[in-house]
Amino acid sequence: DIVMTQSPDSLAVSLGERATINCKSSQSVLYSSNNKNCLAWYQHKPGQPPKLLIYWASTRESGVPDRFSGSGSGTEFTLTISSLQAEDVAVYYCQQYYGSPFSFGQGTKLEIK
Amino acid sequence: QVQLQESGPGLVKSSETLSLTCTVSGGSISNYYWSWIRQPPGKGLEWIGYIYYSGTTIYNPSLKSRVTISVDTSRNQFSLNLNSVTAADTAVYYCARKDVSGSFFDYWGQGTLVTVSS
């Protein structure tokens, strides 16, 4: 099974500043057939379902603000929020879909400093 | 806009079977995979399994011996049965749609809390 590990577990960033969340997989999630990384990012707010932000490691879901971006390849990935807004307070999860069982990171709690 | 809504008992007794249904509206259940994902209190997300509209299933091996996911295309619904539950199965259960291009999840239900009591 592929284990996903996020860092840090929690993060406090000032409004307007950059937030960076890291995700590492226990093995490469680069799919050779299409040369894409099978890595997604979700935003999860209390009382709401998770919301898909990014897939294929760097493709933004329709409607997601462009301050959210994803990068990385192989085993190391990053979610960046370029200018933190108050509504971005949430827990963020990465998920690998390279192989079953599909697995999530433990989550990173993002707060306002 | 596709919408998903979970329904079922919020309280299940230990050793019994947890049963939930997800109703899909705003779109057809056909031609997609549909999934169950859960989140125990204070913990992360765990993928349980998914089913194609034709009935093909893939389960998480950690739960495979206790899980059955089924689909009813005539009602635009799919269901989860988890047997022999324990307190460790207490969680918010989400239904979700798998995207056509990869096994990530683009539409989610609101989630329903199921508590296993002794």
Side-chain angles (χ1 to χ4, degrees), chain B residues 76-102:
Chain B
N76 242 30
Q77 294 178 333
F78 63 104
S79 298
L80 169 70
N81 276 3
L82 180 66
N83 61 37
S84 305
V85 296
T86 69
D89 295 309
T90 293
V92 175
Y93 285 77
Y94 295 98
C95 58
R97 189 183 81 171
K98 186 189 90 65
D99 187 86
V100 291
S101 66

Side-chain angles (χ1 to χ4, degrees), chain A residues 7 11 14 18 20 22 24-25 30 36 38-39 43 47-48 53 58-60 66 70 76 82 86-87 93 95 97:
Chain A
S7 62
L11 180 63
S14 300
R18 179 185 301 261
T20 301
N22 301 301
K24 180 175 285 191
S25 56
L30 178 63
K36 293 183 177 182
C38 301
L39 192 285
Q43 176 191 65
Q48 298 183 21
L53 296 176
S58 61
T59 301
R60 202 178 301 115
D66 60 7
E76 300 197 0
S82 60
E87 61 265 32
Y93 293 94
Q95 178 227 334
Y97 50 96

Side-chain angles (χ1 to χ4, degrees), chain B residues 28-40:
Chain B
S28 173
I29 205 167
S30 298
N31 301 312
Y32 285 95
Y33 282 88
W34 302 90
S35 189
W36 289 97
I37 296 162
R38 71 180 182 178
Q39 183 174 36

Side-chain angles (χ1 to χ4, degrees), chain A residues 4 6 23 29 37-43 51-59 70 77-79 92-98 103-105, chain B residues 99 102-106 108:
Chain A
M4 307 300 290
Q6 293 181 225
C23 175
V29 298
N37 290 279
C38 301
L39 192 285
W41 289 97
Y42 300 87
Q43 176 191 65
K51 175 186 176 182
L52 176 67
L53 296 176
I54 303 281
Y55 55 94
W56 298 121
S58 61
T59 301
F77 302 90
T78 301
L79 174 70
Y92 291 83
Y93 293 94
C94 60
Q95 178 227 334
Q96 68 81 18
Y97 50 96
Y98 179 85
S103 49
F104 296 83
Chain B
D99 187 86
S103 293
F104 52 92
F105 307 101
D106 55 359
W108 296 64

